[in-house]
Amino acid sequence: MYFTILILMFLSGFCYSSQLVYLPRQAVKTKDEVSPGSDVCLRCDVSLLSEFSTLQWTKEGKPTSNTTLIYNNSAYIILHTADEHNTGEYYCRLNKDGKIQTITNHTLTVKTHSYNGNVKTNKSIYRESSSKRDVSLICKTNNNNYDSWRWTWEKRPNSQIDLITVKKGGKVEVKGPIKPGRFSSTTYNSQAFTFHISPVLYNYSGTYRCITETTIYTTTILHTIRVSVEPPGGVLRSQSVLLTCELSEVTESVTLVWLRMERKRGVLEKQNRITEKNNKLQLRVNLSSFKTEPLHWQCAVFTENQLRALAPVILNFTSEITNAPTISTKIITVSNQRSTDNVTATNQDTEDSGLKMVIIVFCAVTVSVLILLSLLVFKCLKNTVDVDTGSGFKSQDDDDNIHYASVTVAASNQGADRCHASSEVLDNNAGVIYSAIKVQ
């Protein structure tokens, strides 16, 4: 009896624990209020993320278009340069075995102004140095009593210079070395004064301030990140590669991390914690003789377990035959050349044979024409000689009959004696030819 009760209690406890495993837990709710132009990082964590499970941030049911990173069983998104459009509800959901569970529910509110009483809003933002990156420095106010505004830049302490200035109702005057981008405010409308930087260069790091006549309205500290690959461009698969991630400056504790991206997840390769006392503001990783497909890497910047920026690198490995001319490549080239030469020689021989045939036919025709012309000339000359010698008879071989011929010759001298001569010739062929010559 007691044994049966123990079994029932055990089975009841097992079923209850199983229900606890599959029942979705209550989502963690958080709230955040930031000033315009801030970078907002959202993070949600799970105890264990299997290979076929996914974590996804959404805004009010729709996937976000911002940067998402899954690393160490956590999902991160970064909202760069937040404004009123980023205000709303954000959900981090776990998709496991077709079941969706909400892990975090975050409410984000973006203020309508950059200054709140005597509290200065200092923002620290991170950007990759790239021609495709930009940053907008936003200065908003609800007070219309200010007549002039300006954005200043301080690259180093005590080196503050004016970048752009404007007076109420006027146009912006550009004064500094950093030219405003196309999304910068061209006039001040007593509501917002924006300074847009595009592209972001590595030496643009520093402290930017929005200042009224006498008040520092907002301060933004820009940190720039630079990644590089040695050797640059495509590399051979058997060649070592050096990846470098460099930070312009630090004003807080920062952790640089090199992540090897496998699908959408980051796998730790190397990391380095950087403080203001640590002058080594870079992290390098040496990749030697990779035989895999092209790899996707990212340099991640963390501050207090919050993702602040990502700088991607895609390595394109190429084959040795394509990039470096080898012996086999040269042999293939020579063989192809020889084949081409053989085809060319064959075509040339065919053309030469045809040309020879044409020449032979032309020569034969020419010789035939010359022979015919020679015969005609010879015949004409013969006829001319016969006429000059007074022989106007046909050959006896042509006809055995009697032929008669009569020729009258005019004498050159008038009054010459007229004479009459006749002769008879008897040929052996029994032909008789009579000729009479009269001279006048």
Side-chain angles (χ1 to χ4, degrees):
M1 182 68 182
Y2 291 104
F3 180 73
T4 303
I5 295 174
L6 289 174
I7 292 176
L8 292 174
M9 291 178 63
F10 175 76
L11 292 176
S12 299
F14 177 77
C15 294
Y16 179 73
S17 63
S18 299
Q19 291 178 358
L20 288 179
V21 171
Y22 289 102
L23 282 176
R25 66 178 183 178
Q26 187 176 3
V28 177
K29 295 183 178 181
T30 58
K31 293 183 179 181
D32 198 3
E33 187 179 29
V34 298
S35 61
S38 301
D39 284 353
V40 180
C41 175
L42 303 181
R43 168 186 174 182
C44 71
D45 307 308
V46 293
S47 58
L48 180 62
L49 188 63
S50 63
E51 182 181 358
F52 301 101
S53 301
T54 59
L55 277 174
Q56 178 67 46
W57 275 99
T58 62
K59 179 187 178 183
E60 300 175 352
K62 298 181 180 180
T64 60
S65 58
N66 301 85
T67 302
T68 301
L69 173 67
I70 298 177
Y71 171 60
N72 282 346
N73 299 324
S74 300
Y76 302 86
I77 63 170
I78 305 175
L79 307 177
H80 292 295
T81 315
D83 57 14
E84 62 274 8
H85 299 93
N86 298 115
T87 297
E89 299 288 332
Y90 292 82
Y91 301 91
C92 178
R93 292 191 168 100
L94 171 65
N95 189 341
K96 181 179 181 181
D97 300 329
K99 298 179 180 180
I100 299 177
Q101 178 181 353
T102 300
I103 305 298
T104 303
N105 180 8
H106 187 90
T107 302
L108 177 64
T109 302
V110 180
K111 300 177 183 179
T112 59
H113 54 85
S114 305
Y115 187 79
N116 186 12
N118 295 323
V119 179
K120 297 179 181 179
T121 305
N122 297 330
K123 299 181 289 291
S124 181
I125 61 177
Y126 293 79
R127 291 291 187 277
E128 178 193 3
S129 173
S130 171
S131 59
K132 299 180 180 180
R133 296 290 182 266
D134 64 346
V135 59
S136 292
L137 307 176
I138 301 175
C139 186
K140 286 188 175 182
T141 179
N142 293 330
N143 191 345
N144 299 331
N145 297 327
Y146 300 108
D147 293 329
S148 63
W149 293 81
R150 58 185 175 134
W151 272 104
T152 64
W153 177 44
E154 189 175 87
K155 175 65 176 177
R156 292 175 297 275
N158 301 322
S159 63
Q160 181 173 293
I161 59 174
D162 290 342
L163 294 177
I164 56 175
T165 62
V166 65
K167 291 184 178 181
K168 192 173 183 178
K171 293 184 178 181
V172 173
E173 296 182 10
V174 180
K175 296 185 176 182
I178 302 177
K179 305 303 179 183
R182 60 192 183 98
F183 296 115
S184 298
S185 300
T186 55
T187 58
Y188 176 65
N189 58 3
S190 302
Q191 295 293 327
F193 188 38
T194 303
F195 182 52
H196 178 249
I197 302 175
S198 177
V200 178
L201 302 184
Y202 185 69
N203 59 357
Y204 283 178
S205 63
T207 302
Y208 295 81
R209 294 184 177 91
C210 177
I211 304 176
T212 63
E213 291 93 338
T214 58
T215 306
I216 298 177
Y217 207 79
T218 182
T219 301
T220 302
I221 302 175
L222 173 62
H223 305 273
T224 52
I225 312 163
R226 179 169 57 189
V227 293
S228 60
V229 180
E230 296 180 10
V235 295
L236 303 179
R237 294 185 181 274
S238 59
Q239 188 177 10
S240 62
V241 180
L242 181 63
L243 303 180
T244 303
C245 182
E246 188 176 2
L247 194 60
S248 60
E249 60 181 358
V250 293
T251 56
E252 54 189 337
S253 180
V254 177
T255 302
L256 289 181
V257 180
W258 269 114
L259 299 174
R260 184 176 71 254
M261 303 305 297
E262 296 181 357
R263 297 179 181 177
K264 293 184 179 181
R265 301 190 181 187
V267 179
L268 177 63
E269 183 71 21
K270 193 176 181 180
Q271 65 180 4
N272 182 30
R273 185 178 177 84
I274 301 175
T275 62
E276 295 185 49
K277 296 181 180 180
N278 183 8
N279 295 326
K280 189 176 181 181
L281 303 179
Q282 62 183 11
L283 178 64
R284 292 184 174 180
V285 58
N286 191 0
L287 313 178
S288 58
S289 302
F290 273 84
K291 300 294 183 181
T292 58
E293 294 299 321
L295 298 179
H296 181 195
W297 293 77
Q298 295 210 62
C299 175
V301 181
F302 290 90
T303 59
E304 298 179 357
N305 296 325
Q306 296 295 315
L307 179 66
R308 306 303 302 275
L310 286 172
V313 171
I314 297 179
L315 300 180
N316 295 317
F317 290 100
T318 55
S319 61
E320 294 183 2
I321 296 179
T322 303
N323 288 275
T326 59
I327 297 177
S328 59
T329 305
K330 291 182 179 179
I331 291 176
I332 292 174
T333 303
V334 172
S335 299
N336 292 336
Q337 184 64 34
R338 290 178 179 176
S339 300
T340 304
D341 292 341
N342 292 334
V343 173
T344 304
T346 304
N347 295 334
Q348 186 66 34
D349 292 340
T350 304
E351 293 178 359
D352 292 341
S353 300
L355 182 61
K356 289 180 180 179
M357 183 63 66
V358 172
I359 293 175
I360 292 173
V361 173
F362 178 78
C363 292
V365 173
T366 303
V367 171
S368 300
V369 172
L370 290 177
I371 292 174
L372 292 176
L373 290 176
S374 300
L375 292 176
L376 291 175
V377 171
F378 177 77
K379 186 173 181 180
C380 291
L381 291 176
K382 182 178 180 181
N383 292 337
T384 303
V385 172
D386 290 342
V387 172
D388 292 340
T389 55
S391 176
F393 312 108
K394 293 184 179 180
S395 173
Q396 293 179 2
D397 295 335
D398 297 334
D399 195 357
D400 291 336
N401 297 326
I402 300 172
H403 297 272
Y404 299 92
S406 177
V407 177
T408 302
V409 179
S412 58
N413 297 323
Q414 297 181 359
D417 295 338
R418 298 180 179 179
C419 63
H420 178 270
S422 62
S423 63
E424 295 180 3
V425 178
L426 181 62
D427 194 356
N428 294 329
N429 294 329
V432 180
I433 299 176
Y434 299 90
S435 63
I437 300 175
K438 295 179 181 180
V439 179
Q440 296 178 354

